[in-house]
Amino acid sequence: MEKKKDYSSEEQGGDRKRKSPTICGTNYPVSIGFIVVNEFCERFSYYGMKAVLTLYFIHYLKWDKDLSTAVYHAFSSLCYFTPVLGALIADSWLGKFKTIIYLSIVYVIGHVVKSVGAIPDVGDNTVHIVLSMAGLILIAFGTGGIKPCVAAFGGDQFEEEHTDERRKFFSIFYMSINAGSVLSTVITPILRSDVQCFGSDCYALAFGVPAVLMIIALVVFIAGSGLYKNSPPEGNVLLQVCKCIGCAIRNWGRSSKHQPKREHWLDWAEEKYPKRLISEIKMVLRVLVLYIPLPMFWALFDQQGSRWTLQSTRMNMDFGAFVLKPDQMQMLNALLILIFIPIFDMGVYPLIGMCKIKVTPLRKMATGMIFAALAFGAATIVERSVIETVVDPPPASTSLLQVLNLAEGNISLDVQGHTGLFPQPIKSYEDPVEYQRLQLNGFKQALTVTLTVNGENHHCVKTFTEEEAYTLIINDDALGVHCTLVKDNIQKSENGEAHLRFINTLQEDFNITVGAKRFHVPVGVGVSNGEFVDRELYSNVKCEGSSRNLSLDIGLLDFGASYSIILKGNVDVTKLEDVRANNVHIAWQVPQYVLLTAGEVMFSITGLEFSYSQAPANMKSVLQAGWLMTVAFGNVIVLIVAEGAGMEQWMEFLLFAGLLVAVCIIFSIMAYFYTYVDPDHLDKMYKDDAGEETEDDLQKSHTDGVNMRTIGESDGKSTKM
């Protein structure tokens, strides 16, 4: 029989044969300590940076929420496309060790560039955008490139017979991933918000600390270089699979009607490739077909760092003893995953088994999809409540207008070109009704406002600029009715601070001190500067006038509200709420995180375990690449919807939930017709079909299968790798 080319990996001599020192006489190599510390620091750097990324886009680069979401998911998608490139480099060229070193350097450079781009004094906004995008691209290539290498490199450090120690190593490895994730999503938002630099939130520090952690990760990994067992590049099985498929397609396309038909289209590659390889690819393709609907799950799952974070910025985050940061809520997923895995493995699944209900892996995955859809149903309900307290920024060619009547009687108002905008008379000193939208003819437009007081019309012309919110203040005196147009702040503080301004109807100037903030209120319906102040009860506010000093009681300022405090009469105060307080507590997000994390446990972990059980041992890396592609394409779906849908946020959440339910139905139908197989039957099938070389191939395939299976288990427990 003709000798077939060996497509399995061949272990060669060199460092791979060297036995690494072990820890205290155990079978654990000393080298794994460096690898675990490296992974902890790398995950801290990645998730720490990513935790504050969406708010950085909105508040620092001044992008709108849709563009911020799109770029966030474009970055996430790139991070899951690049692992294929990293695997190719490691297996076909540099080997795992050098690939980790070189791409970690790229990773560090990306962090440094990203941190420099967050320094306000470095150029203008265009420079900041260029540096930020360049940094993110480098980070994506760095983190994605080393993703398939680090876990596998750790598994390589063990002797083949030490399978139990290797499995425990991956549990420790997994714990380091989640520890880095949890700590970083707690710490970096604090660095961003509580530390002030350059006069605002310190994004440079929030990105700089992850950069330092990545430098530490690189240094620690290099420090252990003398202890590692290194495997030389062994050739990438993914390339061989692609070549075999390409060959089959070419031969099938060139075939004539006179040639005998093949049982399967891949059989057209038999002239060049071994039958065993073709059979293995057939098995892999059956699993990859099941992957087609899976990106929709990841489209929902990865919105924790974008849409769900934006939702939390508009909620009440006060827990009494502390105030949570909106970008810290993401840590709940990492905490819950640690809790849910043992609960499901030792509690939920055994109980279902006791009820004699057969729960196959594919049924678990479909159930996980339903839980994720329910999570977005819960997010929809929360969003419907949240939007009642939020004023959305006006889009291009529009402005927002509210009216504050400080005159003695009721006033009717009409704006040029906007008949019926304020259909009801506006009462004196009444809380303004909600903002109304003005459509402008261009960037800026002057509009005539007609005021009707006691049957008499008064006119004033005011200029409105697009994408701004205004209050029209109306007052009267002996000379008639007057109107003053002032710009408003509708942006809420991430920390829940209240926005405050003073309006003076008295005949003297005042300087008012609220906490650490000072307000100058000029005479004659003068409007002070607006400032964010701490939320608390202000019953003794210092007010210094040109002829007298007074004490004001402005009461309690609520979470996220905007107030106008009117000074009138005998220095009496009237507090009006321009923008409502955040009255939906952040705790209402917990159910959606619980549902989504439960879905992750059933979908992600079960999905990888199922995939690896249905594929030959030496094809695990192909399935790993396919699984990562589903995550990448899931983020592409969010990118497209965020930029193209143009719908309200609650409707978008509902859309994603509905799409996932539809995809779940399709997946369930595909799963119903799927037949489970045992890849080990290939060993029996081809055992007597080839000579000694094939036996060696089978042994090597088994070795590769152990390595890839342990990698799969580590990945399967968490998508954070």
Side-chain angles (χ1 to χ4, degrees):
M1 179 180 287
E2 182 184 357
K3 213 174 191 181
K4 299 290 186 181
K5 184 176 179 180
D6 181 8
Y7 288 94
S8 62
S9 304
E10 293 182 10
E11 288 191 351
Q12 301 174 15
D15 292 340
R16 188 69 183 90
K17 299 290 187 181
R18 183 176 61 195
K19 188 172 182 179
S20 176
T22 58
I23 301 173
C24 299
T26 66
N27 293 323
Y28 293 96
V30 174
S31 56
I32 65 171
F34 295 91
I35 295 171
V36 169
V37 173
N38 165 269
E39 184 67 10
F40 169 81
C41 294
E42 188 273 327
R43 291 291 84 186
F44 187 107
S45 74
Y46 175 74
Y47 280 99
M49 176 276 302
K50 198 176 179 184
V52 300
L53 196 57
T54 299
L55 298 183
Y56 171 77
F57 291 152
I58 291 176
H59 299 301
Y60 187 84
L61 298 184
K62 306 301 182 184
W63 290 348
D64 62 45
K65 63 179 183 179
D66 290 334
L67 178 59
S68 300
T69 299
V71 175
Y72 176 91
H73 286 282
F75 167 70
S76 298
S77 179
L78 187 58
C79 289
Y80 282 95
F81 278 123
T82 50
V84 176
L85 178 62
L88 291 174
I89 293 173
D91 292 342
S92 305
W93 181 24
L94 295 177
K96 299 183 187 73
F97 176 75
K98 289 183 179 179
T99 300
I100 294 171
I101 293 292
Y102 295 156
L103 289 182
S104 291
I105 293 173
V106 173
Y107 202 162
V108 168
I109 294 172
H111 269 302
V112 171
V113 172
K114 186 77 185 67
S115 301
V116 172
I119 300 175
D121 294 342
V122 179
D124 56 12
N125 195 53
T126 302
V127 174
H128 298 157
I129 292 174
V130 170
L131 290 175
S132 297
M133 295 304 101
L136 288 177
I137 291 172
L138 292 174
I139 290 171
F141 276 94
T143 187
I146 68 175
K147 190 186 294 290
C149 301
V150 178
F153 189 69
D156 288 346
Q157 306 307 304
F158 291 85
E159 301 299 326
E160 293 303 331
E161 63 270 19
H162 299 151
T163 55
D164 288 340
E165 287 82 358
R166 184 189 292 113
R167 291 179 185 276
K168 291 177 182 177
F169 159 73
F170 279 112
S171 295
I172 298 170
F173 189 84
Y174 156 72
M175 291 294 292
S176 72
I177 293 170
N178 283 276
S181 173
V182 171
L183 288 176
S184 64
T185 50
V186 171
I187 293 173
T188 52
I190 293 174
L191 297 176
R192 169 194 62 79
S193 179
D194 292 356
V195 179
Q196 298 292 301
C197 61
F198 307 103
S200 61
D201 284 355
C202 200
Y203 286 101
L205 181 63
F207 291 138
V209 169
V212 172
L213 264 293
M214 190 59 220
I215 293 172
I216 294 173
L218 177 58
V219 170
V220 168
F221 187 77
I222 294 174
S225 58
L227 302 172
Y228 299 137
K229 292 195 297 185
N230 296 323
S231 300
E234 301 168 338
N236 190 278
V237 68
L238 181 59
L239 284 178
Q240 300 298 335
V241 170
C242 293
K243 289 178 181 178
C244 182
I245 293 174
C247 177
I249 293 174
R250 286 193 304 271
N251 291 344
W252 175 75
R254 296 170 184 170
S255 63
S256 64
K257 296 181 180 179
H258 304 291
Q259 290 180 283
K261 293 183 178 181
R262 308 292 173 96
E263 183 180 348
H264 192 280
W265 62 271
L266 270 173
D267 294 335
W268 287 99
E270 285 183 349
E271 287 77 5
K272 186 175 180 181
Y273 292 91
K275 288 184 178 180
R276 173 167 183 142
L277 177 66
I278 293 172
S279 297
E280 290 172 339
I281 296 174
K282 289 177 183 177
M283 297 179 72
V284 168
L285 289 180
R286 293 177 71 250
V287 178
L288 290 179
V289 168
L290 286 175
Y291 280 3
I292 294 174
L294 304 190
M296 185 53 66
F297 174 88
W298 300 114
L300 277 68
F301 180 83
D302 278 346
Q303 291 188 54
Q304 295 173 79
S306 57
R307 293 304 205 196
W308 284 15
T309 297
L310 292 176
Q311 184 185 71
S312 65
T313 61
R314 298 167 290 156
M315 302 178 74
N316 189 328
M317 293 168 282
D318 189 358
F319 283 87
F322 63 93
V323 176
L324 198 69
K325 306 292 187 294
D327 34 4
Q328 287 179 322
M329 198 63 181
Q330 303 168 58
M331 70 176 177
L332 195 57
N333 173 252
L335 287 174
L336 288 173
I337 198 79
L338 294 173
I339 298 170
F340 280 2
I341 286 176
I343 290 177
F344 274 78
D345 287 344
M346 295 184 290
V348 176
Y349 295 149
L351 283 175
I352 294 175
M354 291 172 63
C355 297
K356 297 182 179 181
I357 299 174
K358 186 178 181 181
V359 182
T360 64
L362 293 178
R363 289 177 182 174
K364 289 181 186 178
M365 293 177 66
T367 306
M369 291 183 181
I370 295 298
F371 270 81
L374 290 174
F376 267 66
T380 301
I381 296 172
V382 172
E383 184 67 20
R384 287 289 295 170
S385 300
V386 166
I387 58 177
E388 296 178 3
T389 68
V390 175
V391 179
D392 289 325
S397 299
T398 60
S399 295
L400 297 179
L401 178 65
Q402 68 174 4
V403 179
L404 176 58
N405 180 12
L406 303 183
E408 291 299 326
N410 296 346
I411 292 179
S412 298
L413 181 142
D414 185 66
V415 181
Q416 175 188 342
H418 298 80
T419 303
L421 194 64
F422 296 94
Q424 300 298 324
I426 300 169
K427 298 178 181 179
S428 179
Y429 287 90
E430 180 183 44
D431 264 330
V433 296
E434 64 182 21
Y435 281 93
Q436 303 298 321
R437 181 171 295 186
L438 298 177
Q439 190 64 44
L440 307 180
N441 295 327
F443 169 73
K444 185 180 293 186
Q445 184 179 1
L447 298 175
T448 300
V449 179
T450 302
L451 310 174
T452 303
V453 184
N454 297 326
E456 296 184 6
N457 291 337
H458 304 265
H459 304 282
C460 57
V461 178
K462 297 298 176 182
T463 300
F464 297 86
T465 304
E466 67 175 358
E467 300 180 359
E468 295 284 358
Y470 297 92
T471 293
L472 184 68
I473 302 174
I474 302 169
N475 69 295
D476 58 353
D477 56 22
L479 300 177
V481 178
H482 312 281
C483 54
T484 305
L485 189 68
V486 295
K487 286 185 179 180
D488 289 350
N489 173 77
I490 57 174
Q491 184 68 48
K492 294 196 173 191
S493 166
E494 299 165 19
N495 302 320
E497 296 171 315
H499 188 267
L500 195 61
R501 68 180 177 187
F502 291 88
I503 301 174
N504 185 10
T505 65
L506 304 177
Q507 299 304 311
E508 61 178 311
D509 294 350
F510 289 96
N511 290 305
I512 301 174
T513 303
V514 181
K517 303 296 177 66
R518 290 181 60 84
F519 300 82
H520 175 68
V521 195
V523 67
V525 195
V527 181
S528 74
N529 52 303
E531 298 283 356
F532 285 104
V533 299
D534 293 334
R535 299 170 295 104
E536 57 182 81
L537 181 65
Y538 294 97
S539 58
N540 189 21
V541 173
K542 184 178 180 181
C543 178
E544 300 175 342
S546 54
S547 62
R548 49 185 167 165
N549 294 333
L550 304 166
S551 177
L552 304 178
D553 181 2
I554 61 176
L556 179 66
L557 303 183
D558 210 348
F559 199 104
S562 290
Y563 298 98
S564 292
I565 307 295
I566 304 169
L567 306 181
K568 62 177 184 176
N570 189 22
V571 196
D572 189 14
V573 296
T574 298
K575 182 171 66 175
L576 303 179
E577 191 176 55
D578 299 324
V579 178
R580 292 175 59 185
N582 298 358
N583 56 17
V584 181
H585 200 273
I586 192 70
W588 285 107
Q589 273 198 335
V590 172
Q592 63 200 56
Y593 273 97
V594 170
L595 289 168
L596 191 65
T597 306
E600 179 190 5
V601 172
M602 288 184 282
F603 178 88
S604 178
I605 299 174
T606 306
L608 274 172
E609 290 175 352
F610 159 77
S611 301
Y612 291 150
S613 72
Q614 297 296 291
N618 62 334
M619 289 287 163
K620 309 297 184 185
S621 59
V622 179
L623 288 177
Q624 179 78 355
W627 185 264
L628 293 175
M629 288 297 100
T630 66
V631 183
F633 282 111
N635 281 275
V636 171
I637 293 172
V638 184
L639 189 159
I640 295 171
V641 173
E643 280 296 286
M647 58 180 62
E648 291 186 50
Q649 189 57 68
W650 70 270
M651 295 180 64
E652 186 179 294
F653 284 159
L654 201 58
L655 171 66
F656 276 111
L659 288 174
L660 186 56
V661 170
V663 165
C664 180
I665 294 172
I666 295 171
F667 177 78
S668 299
I669 295 172
M670 296 170 65
Y672 179 79
F673 291 101
Y674 181 84
T675 302
Y676 289 83
V677 298
D678 180 8
D680 292 338
H681 87 278
L682 288 177
D683 293 348
K684 301 175 183 178
M685 183 185 302
Y686 292 99
K687 185 174 183 179
D688 300 325
D689 194 40
E692 181 179 348
E693 181 185 7
T694 304
E695 291 292 340
D696 292 340
D697 289 350
L698 291 174
Q699 179 61 37
K700 178 56 190 153
S701 295
H702 172 73
T703 299
D704 286 347
V706 171
N707 287 336
M708 287 309 303
R709 190 173 293 111
T710 52
I711 296 166
E713 286 166 356
S714 180
D715 273 355
K717 290 177 182 174
S718 176
T719 58
K720 294 179 174 60
M721 289 187 62

